[in-house]
């Protein structure tokens, strides 16, 4: 029997057959009390596990929208629908042979709506041609994975955990925090995404449990290869309210005070209240790649939890796949049963693409509460257990067989004390004999071992515990490393298995650019890795490091490969749809990440014979603008990657048609200036074009005349107006189809500005000195005067004044004179200043 450096005992069958142990026989299943419920038709009190598994298989095969995902949380909506929430999701149709195309869009979260007994709709962001995550990423190298969800009033609340990518491997991501996404019901319209005041140590939302006036929020803390459960709570059902965290004895508002409940949980797990007890169901993560689904029970939502009870062994592990993230679905469960989902994937993504059915949820039902055997019928436990470290990374276990009437086998249980494991976990299958070697240990860790005896009637009480401290040397470097270049900027690496090692780090350096230091590009499980996003025609060197219980190995011998990128194929599904604003919207089927698109077009109506390239788009959509009204255009699209540009798509045509604007601008205002008017208005589309109309009321014009040049935006300056004339203005939005309705008109009279602060001072000798303030640049002034003593009318001084002062001469002494000043531009004069009077000396 083998163990794991981080608790694991089972991994890929095809590549690590020496680690693959046979499934428990039926007699052992009965002995340990496992009670998988045979499938029965669904009734109005629940849905069978087989029905749900088949439902998602059929939807993935036939919907053409969703073909596989993981996480699998469910929430019942107020209108009776069930919403299934997923994290990483493949979209689009599968191929006739059941494989998943490499171009299948992969988004980080999505939802599927179940109506009655059928899956009806896939919900995500973006568009059908170019989909995006339901909860969009906050940055290019970050993403959200779905946690659990609840309904609060008319809103769906979904906890999501934010991660950052740290490499190319499936384990290369780091938790950054938790946020609350909200959606309006029933339409599932996104209404908000709010970061919660939580740290990056716990991924919250592994499970939500409504119980006793509180909502309990369970989370998972990951430390190395170990995972621990935590719990917080909020009053009522609103997750936006204040949280408090279980400290082991009471509740605290500080997340830092949160304490571990138990070890061995997944990133998702389920908690349900059954018959007054709380049952926590999880995939057993105290060992890596375990296929076992287990239950722990407690009298309180906070524990302490007892167990584990082994519920089910997922058969997909024996096929070489991995299982993870078990969850409970109590709203859909049939009476007396736990309805459990779990996810399946493969360490080799080629398998996930070759068989689309691998990466989909499975469901199983287990009778609960479980039946317990009579202790009197169970065999006695083994005795004399010893555990000795042999210095080569193994624990040598020996024991004495108890006396029993039945033929016995022995089940080994282990606890990694140093890693903080709270419960013993089974290692592999029951064995015959009274000794074995347990491996997959971590150097310097203290371990506890115990045994149970298994007969046809059940499993005994545990033996006494034996303790040892592991002595594990570093593993040898991987050998047999091969590098095979693909056709999409990828290199597939393969290497031989390293005994008792499940993690490998891949390093690379770019020889073409002269890179000297190796960089870590991914942490991988198994003995294959595909390195992507490599540059065309550049040569790379790769090394592999084995990560075992004794630390890291030396790097493998380096291997080289030259990356090659095949130019992408022609995009398919190109459509061209005229828009009311005269643009044409183009969409096509996405070719996946790392691909850009060039859109070609020609004006067929204008007689253009060559397609020109006006744009480069990163998404599978384009809006063609600046088109001529009622002209037919032809479009074709090519895809571009680092290997070059692919062939053009089949051409499509559409006719650009503008619809005249339907609404008039509002709040038209006119500010008079010097021979000009400043117009402003408001519109629903501030960036569109507008036509300004005017008429000169003083000149008795009856019809509006359009200005020669349209303006863009909500402001226009009209020059060349006659000062002192009253004008009326109106504005209309305009496009190539013509103008829309006119706004309400406004009236305004442009005028030259009037000088100010006029003063007059008698200077003697029949002269008067005048001064005033300027009315603005580019103007001159005329002085008007009259001798009021002699009864004169106003008369202009014969000479224009360029400045702001003037001396009137040859005036009659002792007479009273009045003066006023106007500004002039050679055509018009302003209104005069108020007159000033002075007696000439």
């Amino acid at each position: 029997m083998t163990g794991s450096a981080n608790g694991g005992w089972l991994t890929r069958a095809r590549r690590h057959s020496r680690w693959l142990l046979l499934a428990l026989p039926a007699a052992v299943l009965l002995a340990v009390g496992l009670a998988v419920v045979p499938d029965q038709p669904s009734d109005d009190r629940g849905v069978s596990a087989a029905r749900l598994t088949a439902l998602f298989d059929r939807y993935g095969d036939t919907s053409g929208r969703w073909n596989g995902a993981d996480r699998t949380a469910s929430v019942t909506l107020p209108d009776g629908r069930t919403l299934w929430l997923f994290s990483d999701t493949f979209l689009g149709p599968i191929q006739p042979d059941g494989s998943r195309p490499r171009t299948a869009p992969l988004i980080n979260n999505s939802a599927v709506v179940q109506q009655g007994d059928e899956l009806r709709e896939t919900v995500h962001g973006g568009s059908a041609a170019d989909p995006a995550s339901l909860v969009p990423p906050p940055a290019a190298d970050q993403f959200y994975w779905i946690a659990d969800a609840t309904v609060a009033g008319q809103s769906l609340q979904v906890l999501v955990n934010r991660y950052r990518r740290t490499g190319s491997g499936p384990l290369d991501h780091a938790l950054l925090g938790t946020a609350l996404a909200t959606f309006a019901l029933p339409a599932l319209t996104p209404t908000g995404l709010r970061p919660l005041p939580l740290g990056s140590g716990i991924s919250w939302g592994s499970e939500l449990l409504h119980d006793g006036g509180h909502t309990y929020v369970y989370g998972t803390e990951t430390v190395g290869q170990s995972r621990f459960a935590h719990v917080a709570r909020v009053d009522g059902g609103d997750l936006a309210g204040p949280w408090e965290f279980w400290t082991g004895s009471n509740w605290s508002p500080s997340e830092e005070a949160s304490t571990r409940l138990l070890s061995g949980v997944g990133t998702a797990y389920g908690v349900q209240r059954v018959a007054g007890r709380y049952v926590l169901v999880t995939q057993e993560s105290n060992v890596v790649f375990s296929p076992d689904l287990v239950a722990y029970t407690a009298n309180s939502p906070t524990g302490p939890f007892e167990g584990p009870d082994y519920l089910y062994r997922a058969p997909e592990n024996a096929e070489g796949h991995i299982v993870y993230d078990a969850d409970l679905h109590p709203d859909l469960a049939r009476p007396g049963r736990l309805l459990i989902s779990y996810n399946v994937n493969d360490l080799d993504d080629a398998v996930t693409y070759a068989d689309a059915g691998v990466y989909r949820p499975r469901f199983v039902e287990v009778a609960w509460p479980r039946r317990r055997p009579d202790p009197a019928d169970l065999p006695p436990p083994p005795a004399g257990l010893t555990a000795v470290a042999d210095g080569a990374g193994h624990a040598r276990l020996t024991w004495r067989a108890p006396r029993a009437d039945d033929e016995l086998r022995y089940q080994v249980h282990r606890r990694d004390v140093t890693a903080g494991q709270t419960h013993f976990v089974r290692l592999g299958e029951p064995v015959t004999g009274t000794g074995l070697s347990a491996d997959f240990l971590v150097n310097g860790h203290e371990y506890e071992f115990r045994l149970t005896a298994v007969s046809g009637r059940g499993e005994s009480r545990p033996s006494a515990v034996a303790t040892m401290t592991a002595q594990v040397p570093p593993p040898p470097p991987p050998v047999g490393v091969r590098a095979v270049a693909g056709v999409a900027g990828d290199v597939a690496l393969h290497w031989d298995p390293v005994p008792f090692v499940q993690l490998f780090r891949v390093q690379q350096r770019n020889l073409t650019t002269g890179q000297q230091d190796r960089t870590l590009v991914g942490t991988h499980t198994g003995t294959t890795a595909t390195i992507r996003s490599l540059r065309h025609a550049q040569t790379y060197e790769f090394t592999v490091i084995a990560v075992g219980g004794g630390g890291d190995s030396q790097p493998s011998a380096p291997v080289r490969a030259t990356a090659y990128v095949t130019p992408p194929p022609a995009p398919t599904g190109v459509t061209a749809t005229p828009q009311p604003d005269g643009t044409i919207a183009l969409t096509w089927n996405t070719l996946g990440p790392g691909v850009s698109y060039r859109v070609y077009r020609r004006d067929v109506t204008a007689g253009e014979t060559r397609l020109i390239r006006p744009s480069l788009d990163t998404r599978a959509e384009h809006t063609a603008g600046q088109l001529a009204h009622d002209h037919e255009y032809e479009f074709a699209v090519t895809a571009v990657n680092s290997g070059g540009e692919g062939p053009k798509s089949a051409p499509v045509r559409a006719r650009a048609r503008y619809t005249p604007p339907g609404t008039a601008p509002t709040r038209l205002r006119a500010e008079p200036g010097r021979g000009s008017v400043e117009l402003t208005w408001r519109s629903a589309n501030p960036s569109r074009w507008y036509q300004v109309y005017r008429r000169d009321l003083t000149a008795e014009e009856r019809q509006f005349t359009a200005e020669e040049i349209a303006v863009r935006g909500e402001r226009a300056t009209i020059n060349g107006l006659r000062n002192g004339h009253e004008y009326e203005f109106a504005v209309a939005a305009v496009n190539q189809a013509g103008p829309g309705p006119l706004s309400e008109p406004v009236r305004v009279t442009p005028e030259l500005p009037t000088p100010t602060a006029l003063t007059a001072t008698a200077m003697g000798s029949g002269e008067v000195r005048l001064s005033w303030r300027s009315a603005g640049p580019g103007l001159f002034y005329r002085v008007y005067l009259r001798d009021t003593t002699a009864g004169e009318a106003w008369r202009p001084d014969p000479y224009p004044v360029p400045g702001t002062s003037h001396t009137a001469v040859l005036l009659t002494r002792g007479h009273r004179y009045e003066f006023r000043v106007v500004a002039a531009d050679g055509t018009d004069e302003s209104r005069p200043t108020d007159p000033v009077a002075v007696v000439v000396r």
Side-chain angles (χ1 to χ4, degrees):
M1 189 180 80
T2 60
S4 165
N6 42 27
W9 61 271
L10 186 62
T11 182
R12 289 195 44 77
R14 288 184 290 275
R15 290 174 289 168
H16 308 301
S17 58
R18 67 182 297 272
W19 297 343
L20 182 59
L21 305 178
L22 298 175
L24 285 172
V28 176
L29 299 186
L30 293 174
V32 297
L34 185 146
V36 177
V37 179
D39 180 52
Q40 299 174 14
S42 301
D43 58 30
D44 58 0
R45 295 177 297 168
V47 185
S48 74
R51 170 62 181 161
L52 285 171
T53 300
L55 203 63
F56 279 100
D57 273 339
R58 185 170 70 249
Y59 190 70
D61 288 343
T62 64
S63 71
R65 300 185 293 274
W66 178 101
N67 66 66
D70 65 5
R71 177 54 177 96
T72 320
S74 66
V75 59
T76 301
L77 302 180
D79 57 10
R81 294 177 298 165
T82 297
L83 186 69
W84 296 93
L85 291 158
F86 297 98
S87 289
D88 285 345
T89 305
F90 283 107
L91 299 175
I94 65 171
Q95 302 185 113
D97 63 357
S99 65
R100 176 178 288 120
R102 281 283 180 179
T103 57
L106 175 63
I107 58 177
N108 295 122
N109 52 78
S110 71
V112 172
V113 178
Q114 180 178 345
Q115 182 91 45
D117 206 26
E118 293 295 335
L119 302 176
R120 300 287 189 184
E121 178 187 4
T122 301
V123 185
H124 55 74
S127 63
D130 195 9
S133 296
L134 178 62
V135 182
D141 62 341
Q142 297 179 19
F143 57 91
Y144 287 106
W145 275 337
I146 290 288
D148 208 352
T150 187
V151 173
Q154 294 302 309
S155 179
L156 174 72
Q157 297 183 332
V158 183
L159 289 172
V160 292
N161 288 295
R162 180 165 60 100
Y163 291 87
R164 176 176 57 84
R165 294 180 180 86
T166 58
S168 62
L171 306 179
D172 297 326
H173 53 267
L175 177 66
L176 299 179
T178 303
L180 182 63
T182 54
F183 300 83
L185 296 174
L188 295 172
T189 305
T191 56
L193 179 61
R194 181 184 113 186
L196 295 175
L198 302 168
S200 60
I202 301 170
S203 58
W204 290 102
S206 304
E207 175 63 87
L208 295 175
L209 173 68
H210 300 288
D211 185 70
H214 291 93
T215 297
Y216 292 88
V217 185
Y218 290 86
T220 302
E221 175 194 10
T222 300
V223 181
Q225 300 302 312
S226 300
R227 293 193 179 102
F228 301 90
H230 288 252
V231 66
R233 72 178 185 182
V234 296
D235 284 334
D238 186 358
L239 300 178
W243 289 31
E244 51 185 3
F245 304 88
W246 181 245
T247 67
S249 58
N250 52 38
W251 297 95
S252 168
S254 171
E255 184 189 18
E256 295 179 354
S258 181
T259 191
R260 297 170 177 175
L261 303 181
L262 75 160
S263 66
V265 296
T267 51
Y269 51 91
V271 183
Q272 181 179 340
R273 186 174 183 177
V274 182
R277 294 267 289 172
Y278 296 86
V279 55
L280 185 155
V281 172
T282 182
Q283 178 257 347
E284 176 58 84
S285 73
N286 280 314
V287 293
V288 174
F289 304 134
S290 170
D292 290 325
L293 309 185
V294 297
Y296 297 87
T297 55
N299 290 323
S300 164
T302 60
F305 286 91
E306 303 169 356
D309 284 324
Y310 284 78
L311 305 178
Y312 182 73
R313 174 160 292 173
E316 292 82 6
N317 196 279
E319 300 168 7
H321 310 309
I322 60 171
V323 300
Y324 56 102
D325 279 0
D327 203 351
L328 288 169
H329 306 276
D331 289 350
L332 301 173
R334 296 189 290 177
R337 300 161 174 86
L338 299 177
L339 178 61
I340 308 169
S341 66
Y342 62 94
N343 298 123
V344 180
N345 204 341
D346 200 280
L347 299 177
D348 185 352
D349 68 352
V351 175
T352 307
Y353 280 99
D355 182 358
V358 169
Y359 189 61
R360 289 176 187 165
R362 272 70 162 173
F363 296 84
V364 65
E365 293 172 279
V366 176
W368 193 269
R370 59 178 293 180
R371 295 187 300 271
R372 304 287 179 178
D374 186 343
D377 293 335
L378 301 179
L385 175 64
T386 62
V388 178
D390 67 357
H394 311 98
R396 304 296 180 184
L397 304 179
T398 60
W399 61 89
R400 296 193 306 272
R403 289 190 174 186
D405 296 333
D406 296 335
E407 181 180 347
L408 297 180
R409 285 176 296 169
Y410 303 97
Q411 178 69 61
V412 178
H413 304 258
R414 186 189 71 195
R415 185 168 79 94
D416 186 337
V417 179
T418 304
Q421 289 182 359
T422 56
H423 297 79
F424 281 87
V425 61
R426 286 180 183 173
L427 298 183
E429 305 289 341
V431 297
T432 59
T434 57
L436 59 83
S437 176
D439 40 39
F440 284 100
L441 307 177
V442 178
N443 186 50
H445 278 218
E446 180 184 352
Y447 290 90
E448 292 180 346
F449 292 89
R450 68 186 189 189
L451 291 175
T452 54
V454 180
S455 72
R457 292 176 294 172
E459 186 174 10
S460 73
R461 293 180 291 103
S463 70
V465 171
T467 302
M468 56 84 69
T469 299
Q471 300 172 11
V472 185
V479 296
V481 181
R482 290 91 68 198
V484 179
V487 296
D490 58 311
V491 170
L493 299 174
H494 305 265
W495 55 90
D496 296 340
V498 178
F500 316 122
V501 170
Q502 295 168 314
L503 292 178
F504 299 88
R505 295 193 179 101
V506 177
Q507 298 176 319
Q508 78 177 31
R509 66 188 182 104
N510 189 327
L511 301 180
T512 302
T513 61
Q515 180 183 351
Q516 296 299 314
D517 297 329
R518 295 187 178 98
T519 58
L520 176 67
V521 293
T523 303
H524 298 264
T525 54
T527 58
T528 65
T530 300
I531 311 304
R532 305 188 189 278
S533 301
L534 303 177
R535 304 194 66 177
H536 178 66
Q538 297 196 358
T539 300
Y540 296 83
E541 182 181 86
F542 302 93
T543 56
V544 183
I545 295 172
V547 183
D552 291 0
S553 73
Q554 291 297 311
S556 68
V559 294
R560 295 181 177 183
T562 299
Y564 178 76
V565 181
T566 302
T572 60
V574 181
T575 63
T577 306
Q579 304 297 304
D581 62 356
T583 63
I584 294 176
L586 296 161
T587 62
W588 53 90
N589 296 326
T590 181
L591 290 174
V595 177
S596 299
Y597 304 92
R598 285 177 177 156
V599 179
Y600 293 79
R601 80 183 187 195
R602 69 185 181 98
D603 186 336
V604 178
T605 303
E608 293 179 355
T609 58
R610 294 180 60 251
L611 289 164
I612 61 174
R613 188 181 68 211
S615 70
L616 182 65
D617 295 274
T618 58
R619 299 177 65 87
E621 58 187 25
H622 172 74
T623 300
Q626 299 181 345
L627 308 178
H629 177 60
D630 207 31
H631 280 216
E632 184 180 34
Y633 290 84
E634 183 176 87
F635 300 90
V637 184
T638 63
V640 183
N641 61 19
S642 61
E645 182 177 10
K648 290 184 176 69
S649 68
V652 294
R653 292 189 178 188
R655 186 173 295 275
R657 293 187 182 275
Y658 289 82
T659 300
T663 58
T666 60
R667 298 171 60 185
L668 179 61
R669 301 288 185 269
E671 185 67 30
R674 200 174 81 191
S676 66
V677 169
E678 182 83 11
L679 299 173
T680 60
W681 58 89
R682 292 290 181 267
S683 173
N685 187 352
S687 64
R688 70 178 5 160
W689 289 88
Y690 296 88
Q691 185 69 59
V692 177
Y693 298 84
R694 76 178 181 192
R695 59 178 176 168
D696 187 337
L697 298 177
T698 302
E700 298 184 349
E701 291 179 357
R702 296 182 178 274
Q703 302 297 324
F704 278 106
T705 301
E707 297 294 318
E708 291 185 1
I709 301 175
V711 297
R712 191 170 190 172
E714 297 178 315
R715 181 180 296 273
T717 300
I718 311 301
N719 295 304
L721 304 178
R722 290 293 305 274
N723 292 299
H725 281 222
E726 184 179 28
Y727 291 86
E728 190 170 67
F729 291 91
V731 180
V734 66
N735 60 26
Q736 291 195 35
L742 291 177
S743 68
E744 291 292 329
V746 294
R747 295 185 178 187
V748 63
T749 301
E751 293 180 326
L752 290 177
T754 300
T756 59
L758 176 63
T759 63
T761 305
M763 305 297 293
S765 303
E767 297 180 354
V768 171
R769 181 70 172 173
L770 302 171
S771 65
W772 57 88
R773 289 179 185 167
S774 171
L779 298 174
F780 61 91
Y781 303 92
R782 297 194 69 89
V783 175
Y784 287 81
L785 70 160
R786 65 180 178 179
D787 183 343
T788 59
T789 301
E792 285 183 351
W794 287 103
R795 58 185 172 87
D797 190 273
Y799 301 105
V801 180
T804 58
S805 63
H806 173 71
T807 300
V809 298
L810 302 176
L811 304 178
T812 303
R813 293 182 179 182
H815 281 216
R816 181 180 181 272
Y817 284 81
E818 287 185 345
F819 297 90
R820 63 187 185 188
V821 178
V822 299
D825 62 1
T827 301
D828 299 313
E829 293 182 352
S830 72
R831 287 180 287 111
T833 63
D834 293 334
V836 295
V838 65
V839 176
V840 178
R841 295 183 297 172

